Amino acid sequence: MTPSFNKGDYIQRTIESVLRQRRDELEIEYFVFDNFSSDNTPKILEKFSSLSDVNVIQQKDSGQFDAINQGWTKGTGEIFAWLNADDVYIETVLWDVADFFNKNPDVMVIYGESVYLDDKDKVLKSVTNIRDYSRQHLLSHDFITQPSTFIRRQVFEQVGPLTGKYRYVFDWDYWIRIAQKYDFVRVPFLISGYRITGTNLTSTGKSKRLKEMIALVWNYGGIIHLMYFVLRLLRKYLFGVSEIPNI
């Protein structure tokens, strides 16, 4: 599903990246929840509203987490994911995702590779922050890229909905909550394009996002993991390393 609000410059490419995944062996149920956008988003969504596998719903929500929860609650499929309204899926990768889940029935959650895109779809660099899964490391390092993550319905039913406690790191919070019940599996293929526009939450959060990250690490990991988190930030600062590319 896709939570949408005033992303008219990108949302058509987002939707089309989902629709390109169509094939006879793969059933897609796609929800777009738009929070009454005031830009050209409604006109773009109108183009897709008549398609049988696209469900465009305009209604108020309390933020991205709320729209995602609503979409997943309405969903009838077995594999859940969300794709923000400025990100894209790569080629026909959903078939690879479905095939992996079919061949590995005991796997509940997967995440894969991603690349950063600019506003013209140019690949800026690979997302190098992604790491092999470790439940302990997840308490101090969000190494899971959200648009490259997929969960089984059972996970949503057991873990429950995303929380509105955080605005900038609600996805990381959800990964930690999932990890308390299920192990993630990293898959070795490229799944998504993560767009850096200067207006998304990752780019605009800055000090507010940092405060949320510190609060989250303290809440789940305590002083030890907070120390790991701070040391990692210091190393990046001292060596001038920035994961997110400049645009």
Side-chain angles (χ1 to χ4, degrees):
M1 73 86 53
T2 291
S4 163
F5 183 67
N6 287 347
K7 293 292 184 180
D9 289 341
Y10 311 107
I11 193 168
Q12 180 161 332
R13 282 175 276 177
T14 297
I15 295 173
E16 288 173 347
S17 80
V18 175
L19 298 183
R20 281 197 298 270
Q21 312 289 324
R22 289 167 167 160
R23 55 192 297 170
D24 292 341
E25 304 91 340
L26 182 66
E27 182 178 354
I28 297 175
E29 181 184 47
Y30 184 36
F31 290 91
V32 180
F33 273 73
D34 182 62
N35 189 14
F36 293 104
S37 294
S38 57
D39 62 356
N40 62 333
T41 296
K43 290 184 178 180
I44 295 171
L45 295 180
E46 191 174 344
K47 301 177 186 178
F48 301 97
S49 59
S50 62
L51 300 179
S52 60
D53 49 358
V54 180
N55 301 278
V56 176
I57 300 173
Q58 285 189 301
Q59 64 182 43
K60 290 294 292 182
D61 62 55
S62 301
Q64 282 183 316
F65 79 94
D66 186 32
I68 296 160
N69 288 335
Q70 293 184 54
W72 283 359
T73 299
K74 290 180 178 293
T76 62
E78 290 303 316
I79 307 299
F80 288 4
W82 88 82
L83 185 68
N84 287 330
D86 48 7
D87 297 332
V88 295
Y89 285 134
I90 302 299
E91 298 177 352
T92 56
V93 74
L94 292 191
W95 171 252
D96 296 323
V97 169
D99 186 54
F100 186 90
F101 274 114
N102 286 335
K103 291 178 178 177
N104 298 273
D106 294 332
V107 173
M108 295 291 110
V109 195
I110 69 169
Y111 66 102
E113 307 305 304
S114 185
V115 292
Y116 290 114
L117 302 177
D118 69 6
D119 60 348
K120 303 299 183 184
D121 293 335
K122 177 184 176 182
V123 175
L124 300 173
K125 59 176 285 191
S126 296
V127 178
T128 56
N129 188 52
I130 301 169
R131 300 285 187 273
D132 288 341
Y133 176 68
S134 164
R135 184 179 300 174
Q136 286 299 308
H137 290 168
L138 188 59
L139 297 177
S140 59
H141 182 189
D142 183 12
F143 51 80
I144 297 172
T145 300
Q146 170 268 311
S148 292
T149 307
F150 295 80
I151 71 174
R152 291 191 188 271
R153 165 185 289 277
Q154 176 182 328
V155 175
F156 179 60
E157 293 174 344
Q158 292 294 318
V159 176
L162 287 83
T163 178
K165 181 177 181 180
Y166 303 103
R167 181 185 181 193
Y168 300 98
V169 297
F170 66 88
D171 52 346
W172 187 7
D173 174 79
Y174 202 56
W175 309 152
I176 293 176
R177 289 169 55 204
I178 289 174
Q180 293 171 346
K181 293 180 178 291
Y182 304 99
D183 286 329
F184 288 67
V185 172
R186 182 182 181 182
V187 294
F189 46 83
L190 180 62
I191 293 178
S192 68
Y194 188 104
R195 198 179 303 279
I196 300 299
T197 65
T199 61
N200 46 9
L201 290 179
T202 300
S203 301
T204 62
K206 297 183 179 178
S207 63
K208 292 180 180 179
R209 182 168 177 264
L210 178 59
K211 288 179 181 178
E212 284 196 359
M213 294 168 76
I214 291 172
L216 181 144
V217 173
W218 174 261
N219 180 46
Y220 287 109
I223 187 64
I224 298 298
H225 286 279
L226 185 58
M227 289 172 60
Y228 291 148
F229 175 77
V230 171
L231 286 173
R232 189 168 57 85
L233 290 185
L234 285 174
R235 282 198 298 268
K236 287 187 174 184
Y237 176 78
L238 291 174
F239 289 100
V241 177
S242 175
E243 166 64 26
I244 299 174
N246 294 321
I247 56 172

